[in-house]
Amino acid sequence: MEVIILPTEEDVFLEASGRIVGLIHRKPDAVLGLATGKTMLGVYRNLTAAHEQGKVDFSSVTTINLDEYLGIDPANPLSFHSYMRKNFFDHVNVLQENILIPHPLPDDVEAECENFERQIKKRGGIDLQLLGIGRDGHIGFNEPSSSLQARTRVKTLTDQTLKDNFGSTEGPRFAITMGIGTIMEAGEIVLVALGNEKSEAISHMVEGPVTASCPASALQLHPKVKVIVDHEAAWLLKRKEYYLWVWEHKNEVENPH
Ligand code: GLP
């Protein structure tokens, strides 16, 4: 894992969005795995700005979202369909036919999950998966105790996640989510986290054991992961000074001669 600790939230958003823009420049028909949540808003804001300035073109890009609540209308403002439209798709030129998000009201849930996996494969797999992290170490909606090899399926959300996402335990209880096994097949992963409230999850993910008790810790087994965080989210990391040194000397590390 490459741990990149940056001084401000804006630096974190810029670093993450810059990696996505860089990928699209190298590969205009890239397949992006996208995430939702408050943390991602700044990333989408930067991507939108880059698009408006003519720095990035999404017309050949495919986007595949990690997850969606189950049992609500896609037009419901709580849905990730709505979130993505409002915060990203309405502002950039991703083509409708190149957008894939699990359907929140499928006729057959199991068939929807299988079809979602098939669609990812049909599009050649995900080049870069953007991730946030829950306070309990979940990625997508893979809550603690999720199998580290699972594929797309329905998961039950914890009370903690409901409170974090809706302010109470009244929100949608179930979600369709890519499994950790699905996420691990992405070519590269960029995980973004901000603030003290994520510091425990970040420390368990980066420096704890690989365990289903912290599903994000499975990313230790992925060869190309960038963890982009601010100092608050990084403060519990034991090797914080080491990560900072490596980042500061990145050029020397990559070109030693
Ligand atoms: C939800 C999403 C995750 C996201 C997490 C953190 O549970 N399913 O993909 O990483 O929220 O969100 P936030 O950035 O709002 O803390």
Side-chain angles (χ1 to χ4, degrees):
M1 277 184 177
E2 185 178 6
V3 182
I4 304 172
I5 305 167
L6 299 171
T8 70
E9 291 194 353
E10 208 44 47
D11 293 327
V12 169
F13 298 143
L14 262 178
E15 183 62 33
S17 55
R19 294 194 173 266
I20 294 171
V21 170
L23 168 67
I24 298 171
H25 287 169
R26 291 193 303 280
K27 188 176 179 194
D29 62 348
V31 178
L32 296 180
L34 297 182
T36 51
K38 287 187 283 298
T39 316
M40 292 304 143
L41 293 175
V43 178
Y44 293 133
R45 197 176 354 96
N46 274 284
L47 287 174
T48 300
H51 174 68
E52 282 165 357
Q53 292 156 15
K55 292 182 187 154
V56 63
D57 173 16
F58 293 95
S59 63
S60 302
V61 167
T62 294
T63 67
I64 304 183
N65 268 78
L66 273 174
D67 48 12
E68 175 60 287
Y69 297 111
L70 196 57
I72 60 175
D73 194 277
N76 184 320
L78 293 180
S79 77
F80 290 162
H81 277 74
S82 296
Y83 171 106
M84 289 307 300
R85 268 198 303 276
K86 179 169 171 228
N87 297 303
F88 191 47
F89 297 144
D90 282 353
H91 313 288
V92 295
N93 62 339
V94 182
L95 301 182
Q96 190 56 44
E97 67 255 36
N98 292 341
I99 294 172
L100 185 66
I101 310 181
H103 201 282
L105 289 171
D107 294 332
D108 178 335
V109 176
E110 214 171 300
E112 171 68 15
C113 296
E114 281 167 17
N115 185 47
F116 190 75
E117 288 278 339
R118 259 198 310 278
Q119 292 296 324
I120 297 175
K121 289 212 171 68
K122 201 175 137 199
R123 288 159 160 91
I126 293 168
D127 292 304
L128 183 154
Q129 177 67 54
L130 185 60
L131 291 177
I133 187 168
R135 265 205 273 188
D136 57 5
H138 75 245
I139 48 178
F141 273 128
N142 294 281
E143 297 282 26
S145 81
S146 290
S147 157
L148 301 184
Q149 289 196 322
R151 314 300 307 187
T152 301
R153 75 239 180 272
V154 174
K155 286 296 293 180
T156 307
L157 309 187
T158 62
D159 282 356
Q160 173 77 70
T161 297
L162 290 173
K163 281 187 209 145
D164 287 345
N165 292 6
F166 306 110
S168 78
T169 53
E170 293 307 304
R173 207 9 113 170
F174 305 101
I176 295 183
T177 179
M178 281 187 206
I180 301 288
T182 322
I183 293 169
M184 292 291 281
E185 285 173 6
E188 63 179 302
I189 290 176
V190 171
L191 185 142
V192 181
L194 294 169
N196 193 20
E197 65 188 35
K198 299 292 171 69
S199 56
E200 209 168 305
I202 290 295
S203 107
H204 290 159
M205 172 183 80
V206 177
E207 295 178 339
V210 174
T211 165
S213 296
C214 174
S217 65
L219 300 179
Q220 291 176 25
L221 301 176
H222 191 289
K224 215 169 168 203
V225 179
K226 304 240 172 339
V227 178
I228 309 176
V229 290
D230 62 2
H231 283 270
E232 286 74 21
W235 84 274
L236 288 175
L237 290 171
K238 288 196 218 69
R239 285 177 281 279
K240 187 176 169 197
E241 294 310 317
Y242 169 75
Y243 309 132
L244 283 166
W245 193 95
V246 173
W247 179 245
E248 208 177 303
H249 296 81
K250 197 171 165 48
N251 286 340
E252 296 161 47
V253 175
E254 284 176 359
N255 313 296
H257 304 297

